[in-house]
Amino acid sequence: MIVNGDWELGNYADLLGDDLGVAPLPTVSSTGMDPAPYTAGAFYMVPSAVEGDNLTVVLDFIAWSTNTENQIQMVEDLRRLPANAEALADPIVTDDTLLAGAAEAVQKGIPQPTNVEMRCVFDAMNTAIRDVLGAGNSDFAAVTAAMQTAADNCVATL
């Protein structure tokens, strides 16, 4: 089992073919609740100083790139989940077992915070995961303490 995002589906499918399945994280038996992992995407950010014709062009591009037709084309080209809800419900997603599984999983998620400190959290977690899974460290108290220290130190340097 691997926890990852839709950006890796193509690579996994190439390697595993029909032996690959995609599904949401399983329900936590002790609580009966589904996990709500962070979800993220690509975002457009437009400086507040953009105005006039430049703003019109930027907004037209955003509208064009996020419309259903272009989102579906993106799925065809990149095999990535679309941001547009209509495209997410399109057969190009729902008829593809891998994309449909990823779409089901993402719909249970919550938006990932966009603050820069999250990079510190994720980097600290990656190190801890490698320590536990790669090096076999089973001292979880020490691993979590090191993870917290690493995140705190990183945030202090921002």
Side-chain angles (χ1 to χ4, degrees), residues 57-78:
V57 170
V58 168
L59 294 177
D60 285 348
F61 174 76
I62 292 171
W64 173 84
S65 64
T66 58
N67 75 32
T68 301
E69 179 182 318
N70 289 319
Q71 288 284 298
I72 290 170
Q73 185 62 51
M74 183 206 63
V75 176
E76 285 182 28
D77 293 343
L78 303 176

Side-chain angles (χ1 to χ4, degrees), residues 37 49 54-55 80 82 113 145-146:
N54 287 339
L55 182 59
R80 296 281 307 266

Side-chain angles (χ1 to χ4, degrees), residues 96-117:
D96 181 307
T97 58
L98 300 180
L99 288 174
E104 183 183 355
V106 80
Q107 290 174 10
K108 293 183 179 194
I110 58 172
Q112 174 183 310
T114 56
N115 51 320
V116 70
E117 291 85 358

Side-chain angles (χ1 to χ4, degrees), residues 137-153:
N137 187 346
S138 61
D139 185 352
F140 302 127
V143 170
T144 56
M147 184 172 55
Q148 185 66 55
T149 299
D152 291 340
N153 290 341

